[in-house]
Amino acid sequence: MIAALRRFVSRRVGRRLFLLFIVSAFLPLAALAALSFMQLRDMLLQQGEQRLAATAKGYAMTLFERLLLASDVAAAAAGRGAGPPATGSLARLSLHSLARVEPDGRVVAVFGNPPLEPLAPAVRERIEEGKSVVTVKPATGGARVTITVPTTRGGEGAAVAEILPEYLWQPELFPTETDFCVLEEKSRVMLFCSTKIPDDVLAATVPAPSEVPSALLATRWLRDGEPQRSIAWTQFLRYAFETPDWVVVASQPESFQLARLLEYQHIYVPVVLLALLIVGWLTIRQARSIVGPVVQLAARARGISRNDFESRVEMDRQDEFGELASAFNQMSSQLGRQFAALTALSEIDRLILSTPDTAQVVRTVLERMRAVVPAHFIGVTLFDHDAPGHAHSYFSETNSTEGLAYARATLRTEDYELLGRNPDGAWVALVPGSRGILGVLAERGLKVAYIQPIVWRDVPCGALALGYRDETSGGDEERRQARDFADRVAVAVSSAWRDEQLYQQAHFDPLTGLPNRLLLKDRLTQEIARGQREQRRFALLFIDIDRFKNVNDTLGHTAGDAVLAEAGRRIQGCVRDSDTVARLGGDEFTVILTNVHDPQDAGHVAEEIVAMLSESFEIDGQSTFLSASVGIVAYPEDGTTAEDLLRNADTAMYRAKAAGRATVVFFEETMNAEAVSRLMLDRDLRQAITKGEIAMHYQPLLDLRTGVVCGAEALMRWNHPEHGPIPPARFVPVAEESGFIDELGRFALDEACARMKAWRAEGLPVKRVSVNVSPRQLRKVGIVALVQQAADGAGIPHECLEIEITEGLLIEHADSVEGLLRGLSASGVKIALDDFGTGFSSLAYLNRFPIDTIKIDRVFIDGLGYKRDSEAIVVAIIAMSHALGKSVTAEGVESAAQLEMLTEFGCDSIQGYFVGRPMPAAEFVAFVRNRAPEKATAPILPFLSR
Ligand SMILES: Nc1nc2c(ncn2[C@@H]2O[C@H](COP(=O)(O)O[C@H]3[C@@H](O)[C@H](n4cnc5c(=O)[nH]c(N)nc54)O[C@@H]3COP(=O)(O)O)[C@@H](O)[C@H]2O)c(=O)[nH]1
């Protein structure tokens, strides 16, 4: 019990219940016990007091009666003539001695030794009245009580008797535990005392003498430490015996009065204690029946917090605690399943993040579901991404020892309908012979299945199935879990497909579906590694479609895209499956031809590609003809790294373009040397201006109507200290490529403007100097300001400066260039369109841009006189230009015949060796001066032929 109590109070709830018990049961019970004990004691004391008073009164009455009896006995025994009474007679039993008072006053002894003194007058008088007199004389150990009674009616005779103390007091008849003391009231003479009472107690107990009896007084005092109770009763004697009243003091031990209390105490205390114990025991028992389950449930809750979902709360009770325990166990199991499911889901999440392998994710899903979902069959069917109408089914039977199984399924329309109609899953009754995604389940004798579609981007991409052997289907919990796991599979599928998409996007060209530059490099690196390993050769073709830009500009980008896609297909058609065709971007394609023994084989393939790309492209009902230039490199002869091979193939392709396009060119080491030489050239060029190696030469322009040198084209010349004169056609492209063209261009502009200023100062008739501006230079921010600054810096009107731009620039950068040209034109600077006719000459350009002069390319002038179409083209250009209000300059005029024809065609001015070659500034001045102003209107030919 103590141990149980200790265990019990060690719990907080137990302590509280225990305190509650103390406060609500123990204290009231104890208080009630104490109160009733006190009341009972008071009551017993009160009763004792009353009994004691009655005892005292009764004793006093007995004394009175004994006195009366003694007086009668004395009177009778002392009657006249009576002899001594017989022994044993009443007189002998009650009287100590007896004397007779004769009528003559003599006192005669009847028996014993009575005092024989004559009666005192007062006594005599009383006797004569027929009344008795009691006198008391103190004596050792008490007092002698004498009674005098008349023996005759007249009072002549009397009897004097001393009363036997034993008779009078009769202590043997005292009630138990009761002592009496009798004292005379007035004199306080103690007549008798069975046990001595202290004087102070007597003083406090005995009332003061009075005519009327006073109230009983009770006192409590100690005798030898033991409480005593005393009470006094005054017996009226004065009228009957002419003697002071006697006071009877009765005493009893308090314990005697409380004797019943002690008895009661012996029963009451054990009963109260027993009641308390019973209450306590019941309280503990009841509290334990509350605390015990609470402790158990708390321990179980702690167990759950430690992920222990298996243990159970064992509580075989039919009350609320029993229900709570059962609910707790259910909750624990459910939490366990949910925890297991969440753990499985998080494991799957981690797996999804770490592997792109959908099958592995599906396997893990099935394994984890087996542990969590109480279904007889769990399966995942995934639609075959690459084979529409087919699916992969992975499944697992929960009570089978076999692991994961796999089957291929053919999908039916009903499958798609089932999944499409029930995105949140559906219960399906299985019938033998079911096909599609239900086939695997039906084959295993399952009766019912829950089918949860696996949805990605709102489209089912598979299904998760839970199969059951009996009709009683699983609950909501399984359905929820099925949905969660299906979501994970969907994420895995989407993740895998997205990875695939990302891979596709990163490695394939979306337009043609061909590998892009990244994948090409990868494959090239692999091929190099294989080549090294297996001593095998391969070839790399670099294909660029000639003038592809024209297609975009004239037919639009959609058409351009269609041409590129078709070009990719045609190239692909020319090679084996083992070869790699890639699109590098724009109109550039490459082909890795694996296992090439003879480079000539690569040449044949390249020729075939060129031929295929030369065939017409039918775009939007229009036939478009293109060509391609192909550069070829062979591994390992032309490079051993992907970068080297690509660069060299590119170089070869450029060489093919330079060779007239629609050509195949094998890379040669000399091509590489050329690239190196270009680098050297660029390095030297950067110092050429400061070293004074660059100079501007001026080629005259002759006005065909006046024969006057009306202008000059500024052409750059570089006199290299080691290599001698280097033509601009060689170093200008290098400068363009390296960016140094900006500086060269600025130099040309400044030089030409300065020269123009000098010519004007010298009075030369030259109205304008034209400067070639490269496309890159023109597209540079600030070109307008730069040109204006050059003119303004030299102090020449803007009209004296002409900018020569190429047709290609207008075609390739029409939008960005238009504003610049308008800016220049607005400032007065003239604009000439160089090399007209060689590019994609279009009337639209002439109209759109602020061009002042059209310069007909040399190739058309060359053909004048012997090429009909050249003549027609020149005539058309002149007519068209004039119609648009533009002047025309013919370039490269080298003969009088050409001059004549051009004059005839109405050309405005000419430029060419026939008029004069580009010459240093000083020579140019002399040249112009030779053409005297007065001769300016003379026929031109004689002037020129001089
Ligand atoms: N951006 C710059 N380009 C410049 C600059 N200087 C020259 N160039 C460009 O270099 C290309 C080659 O120029 P060049 O070798 O000077 O040849 C020019 C003439 O010498 C040549 N020409 C002139 N008349 C005849 C002729 O009767 N027969 C013949 N075979 N050649 C002739 O033609 C070139 C001028 O052509 P064009 O510019 O198209 O008017 C050349 O493309 C220059 O543009 C420069 O400072 N900046």
Side-chain angles (χ1 to χ4, degrees):
M1 174 96 174
I2 298 295
L5 179 65
R6 200 171 290 155
R7 255 201 323 276
F8 171 67
V9 293
S10 69
R11 312 277 178 207
R12 266 176 298 175
V13 178
R15 268 202 300 277
R16 254 179 248 146
L17 285 171
F18 187 71
L19 281 174
L20 198 66
F21 154 72
I22 294 284
V23 171
S24 64
F26 186 84
L27 288 182
L29 196 60
L32 186 67
L35 200 66
S36 46
F37 185 83
M38 298 299 293
Q39 275 189 342
L40 182 64
R41 185 174 183 279
D42 287 349
M43 196 181 77
L44 287 176
L45 286 175
Q46 215 175 340
Q47 284 178 0
E49 196 172 293
Q50 284 168 4
R51 271 200 306 276
L52 192 61
T55 306
K57 188 178 169 184
Y59 187 60
M61 290 302 297
T62 305
L63 288 179
F64 182 70
E65 284 167 6
R66 285 183 192 150
L67 284 175
L68 286 176
L69 183 61
S71 64
D72 289 345
V73 168
R80 198 168 293 173
T87 304
S89 65
L90 195 55
R92 290 280 182 180
L93 290 175
S94 58
L95 302 176
H96 183 263
S97 63
L98 178 65
R100 183 166 56 243
V101 180
E102 298 292 345
D104 55 3
R106 260 184 319 115
V107 179
V108 181
V110 179
F111 69 88
N113 296 310
L116 300 176
E117 300 154 3
L119 294 179
V123 175
R124 164 96 22 218
E125 196 178 320
R126 181 114 176 118
I127 293 296
E128 284 170 358
E129 288 171 7
K131 293 181 182 172
S132 302
V133 176
V134 171
T135 52
V136 173
K137 284 189 183 150
T140 314
R144 287 165 58 197
V145 179
T146 305
I147 186 163
T148 306
V149 294
T151 52
T152 59
R153 193 160 297 180
E156 300 88 15
V160 179
E162 185 184 343
I163 301 171
L164 262 175
E166 296 82 8
Y167 162 74
L168 184 60
W169 310 120
Q170 292 188 13
E172 70 279 4
L173 298 179
F174 285 2
T176 320
E177 299 265 358
T178 309
D179 286 310
F180 293 102
C181 287
V182 184
L183 61 145
E184 200 180 59
E185 188 190 28
K186 268 187 190 157
S187 62
R188 304 277 161 163
V189 170
M190 185 61 71
L191 306 178
F192 167 78
C193 208
S194 58
T195 303
K196 187 166 171 36
I197 296 174
D199 292 341
D200 56 331
V201 176
L202 280 178
T205 310
V206 178
S210 66
E211 286 301 312
V212 280
S214 61
L216 292 172
L217 281 179
T219 47
R220 184 174 185 275
W221 52 282
L222 292 176
R223 174 185 287 151
D224 300 332
E226 189 187 354
Q228 303 288 320
R229 294 268 170 178
S230 297
I231 197 160
W233 175 262
T234 304
Q235 182 58 45
F236 225 57
L237 293 179
R238 66 189 79 161
Y239 295 113
F241 296 107
E242 190 61 27
T243 184
D245 297 336
W246 287 2
V247 178
V248 174
V249 177
S251 298
Q252 281 178 341
E254 196 176 83
S255 58
F256 175 71
Q257 291 183 346
L258 296 176
R260 284 184 62 200
L261 181 67
L262 289 174
E263 277 169 31
Y264 178 74
Q265 202 173 332
H266 286 132
I267 298 163
Y268 186 75
V269 171
V271 166
V272 168
L273 283 177
L274 185 65
L276 285 174
L277 276 176
I278 290 169
V279 171
W281 179 73
L282 286 174
T283 305
I284 290 173
R285 199 179 133 84
Q286 195 55 36
R288 274 181 65 188
S289 75
I290 296 169
V291 173
V294 171
V295 168
Q296 252 184 303
L297 289 169
R300 196 68 280 286
R302 280 194 296 277
I304 288 172
S305 73
R306 291 191 304 271
N307 299 342
D308 171 14
F309 302 102
E310 295 304 317
S311 308
R312 292 279 165 275
V313 179
E314 299 301 342
M315 212 179 284
D316 188 16
R317 291 170 60 152
Q318 304 305 314
D319 56 5
E320 285 78 2
F321 279 113
E323 284 174 27
L324 182 61
S326 141
F328 205 89
N329 285 338
Q330 270 178 23
M331 184 189 76
S332 172
S333 304
Q334 195 167 338
L335 278 176
R337 282 198 301 279
Q338 284 175 356
F339 184 78
L342 283 175
T343 308
L345 290 174
S346 68
E347 189 186 336
I348 291 161
D349 287 345
R350 277 198 306 278
L351 194 66
I352 290 170
L353 291 175
S354 63
T355 177
D357 186 353
T358 312
Q360 194 187 336
V361 173
V362 168
R363 274 196 297 278
T364 309
V365 163
L366 292 177
E367 276 166 21
R368 296 296 169 270
M369 281 189 81
R370 260 172 80 137
V372 174
V373 181
H376 299 118
F377 172 98
I378 300 168
V380 169
T381 301
L382 288 180
F383 296 174
D384 192 332
H385 195 38
D386 302 319
H390 293 87
H392 306 279
S393 280
Y394 305 85
F395 52 91
S396 160
E397 286 183 87
T398 42
N399 54 0
S400 153
T401 50
E402 285 171 28
L404 194 67
Y406 169 80
R408 197 144 165 79
T410 305
L411 297 169
R412 304 157 312 145
T413 319
E414 295 92 301
D415 293 325
Y416 293 110
E417 282 176 0
L418 171 67
L419 300 180
R421 268 201 315 269
N422 302 287
D424 294 329
W427 288 103
V428 180
L430 298 166
V431 287
S434 292
R435 295 267 176 274
I437 55 175
L438 303 179
V440 184
L441 292 126
E443 280 166 18
R444 275 150 189 82
L446 297 160
K447 293 279 184 298
V448 67
Y450 180 72
I451 305 293
Q452 173 63 51
I454 297 168
V455 179
W456 182 47
R457 290 189 178 163
D458 297 335
V459 177
C461 60
L464 189 147
L466 302 180
Y468 298 88
R469 289 193 206 294
D470 41 37
E471 309 291 337
T472 51
S473 50
D476 284 349
E477 177 77 14
E478 283 90 72
R479 283 164 52 182
R480 250 197 317 278
Q481 287 175 340
R483 198 166 307 147
D484 285 344
F485 281 100
D487 285 348
R488 288 327 192 267
V489 176
V491 170
V493 169
S494 72
S495 167
W497 289 358
R498 207 176 304 118
D499 284 351
E500 201 180 305
Q501 265 189 340
L502 286 175
Y503 182 82
Q504 282 283 337
Q505 282 167 8
H507 295 86
F508 288 86
D509 168 43
L511 180 64
T512 59
L514 295 173
N516 63 9
R517 181 184 290 271
L518 192 66
L519 187 54
L520 170 84
K521 277 199 167 181
D522 189 42
R523 298 224 175 134
L524 203 49
T525 310
Q526 285 178 24
E527 202 54 42
I528 290 168
R530 201 160 69 155
Q532 280 172 347
R533 217 171 37 243
E534 299 171 12
Q535 303 297 310
R536 289 210 304 202
R537 303 174 76 192
F538 68 90
L540 177 70
L541 312 187
F542 202 113
I543 305 158
D544 188 279
I545 298 173
D546 301 326
R547 301 184 199 283
F548 174 71
K549 182 118 191 59
N550 295 348
V551 178
N552 271 343
D553 290 337
T554 53
L555 301 175
H557 285 272
T558 312
D561 287 351
V563 166
L564 288 173
E566 175 61 18
R569 277 192 289 276
R570 290 186 189 180
I571 297 169
Q572 189 91 58
C574 297
V575 300
R576 295 161 302 180
D577 287 346
S578 56
D579 299 327
T580 296
V581 177
R583 180 179 170 226
L584 299 190
D587 55 356
E588 292 177 343
F589 293 85
T590 52
V591 178
I592 303 172
L593 293 173
T594 57
N595 229 354
V596 171
H597 301 293
D598 184 349
Q600 284 311 315
D601 295 341
H604 294 315
V605 174
E607 292 289 355
E608 195 186 336
I609 290 170
V610 169
M612 290 300 292
L613 295 177
S614 299
E615 287 183 9
S616 97
F617 286 82
E618 299 298 323
I619 307 294
D620 292 340
Q622 271 191 302
S623 296
T624 304
F625 289 91
L626 293 166
S627 62
S629 302
V630 182
I632 305 177
V633 288
Y635 172 86
E637 294 85 346
D638 299 330
T640 52
T641 66
E643 287 74 24
D644 285 352
L645 288 168
L646 273 169
R647 192 186 55 244
N648 293 342
D650 188 32
T651 305
M653 184 274 292
Y654 270 105
R655 179 54 66 91
K657 277 214 188 293
R661 300 186 165 97
T663 311
V664 174
V665 169
F666 281 90
F667 174 76
E668 295 164 17
E669 197 45 50
T670 50
M671 293 178 197
N672 219 1
E674 189 183 298
V676 174
S677 119
R678 282 161 73 93
L679 275 176
M680 306 295 287
L681 204 67
D682 181 54
R683 191 198 59 195
D684 294 346
L685 188 58
R686 286 175 185 273
Q687 300 164 3
I689 296 176
T690 47
K691 285 183 175 175
E693 294 166 13
I694 304 280
M696 298 306 292
H697 283 200
Y698 300 91
Q699 185 173 31
L701 258 85
L702 192 71
D703 187 328
L704 284 181
R705 283 188 304 272
T706 63
V708 171
V709 176
C710 58
E713 179 177 357
L715 293 160
M716 197 172 278
R717 295 294 178 260
W718 179 17
N719 194 15
H720 193 282
E722 285 172 35
H723 307 302
I726 297 177
R730 171 135 179 77
F731 69 81
V732 166
V734 172
E736 281 201 316
E737 213 173 274
S738 70
F740 190 63
I741 192 68
D742 296 337
E743 286 220 17
L744 281 181
R746 202 176 305 127
F747 174 81
L749 274 170
D750 290 345
E751 279 289 304
C753 290
R755 201 52 64 194
M756 185 66 210
K757 184 189 176 185
W759 293 339
R760 281 167 60 88
E762 289 170 28
L764 288 188
V766 179
K767 291 197 177 67
R768 188 169 299 134
V769 64
S770 37
V771 180
N772 289 283
V773 176
S774 78
R776 182 197 152 102
Q777 203 186 341
L778 194 79
R779 293 200 319 271
K780 201 100 174 140
V781 180
I783 184 70
V784 178
L786 188 80
V787 171
Q788 289 171 354
Q789 273 167 20
D792 295 343
I796 58 167
H798 291 180
E799 295 78 20
C800 295
L801 179 62
E802 187 171 62
I803 296 301
E804 285 194 21
I805 58 168
T806 59
E807 211 180 0
L809 177 78
L810 299 186
I811 293 168
E812 286 167 27
H813 307 286
D815 292 335
S816 58
V817 162
E818 187 178 357
L820 297 173
L821 294 182
R822 290 202 180 283
L824 284 172
S825 180
S827 75
V829 174
K830 298 295 173 193
I831 297 163
L833 186 60
D834 208 0
D835 307 337
F836 190 77
T838 54
F840 204 72
S841 307
S842 161
L843 199 61
Y845 290 129
L846 297 182
N847 235 352
R848 177 176 170 184
F849 299 101
I851 294 160
D852 300 293
T853 305
I854 305 294
K855 293 185 86 173
I856 306 172
D857 193 76
R858 193 164 70 229
V859 289
F860 302 110
I861 307 302
D862 259 357
L864 287 180
Y866 64 96
K867 273 191 180 172
R868 259 184 191 285
D869 52 352
S870 293
E871 206 175 299
I873 289 169
V874 171
V875 169
I877 293 173
I878 293 170
M880 181 180 72
S881 304
H882 283 168
L884 293 171
K886 303 180 191 299
S887 71
V888 183
T889 300
E891 286 186 305
V893 178
E894 293 183 348
S895 68
Q898 290 168 343
L899 184 148
E900 274 182 21
M901 289 180 83
L902 288 165
T903 309
E904 193 185 320
F905 295 156
C907 185
D908 300 301
S909 56
I910 58 166
Q911 181 185 348
Y913 293 167
F914 187 66
V915 179
R917 287 177 176 264
M919 56 194 89
E923 277 182 38
F924 180 77
V925 172
F927 177 85
V928 177
R929 285 225 173 98
N930 267 347
R931 174 70 180 140
E934 66 277 8
K935 294 175 186 168
T937 52
I940 293 164
L941 280 173
F943 158 72
L944 292 171
S945 58
R946 272 188 313 188

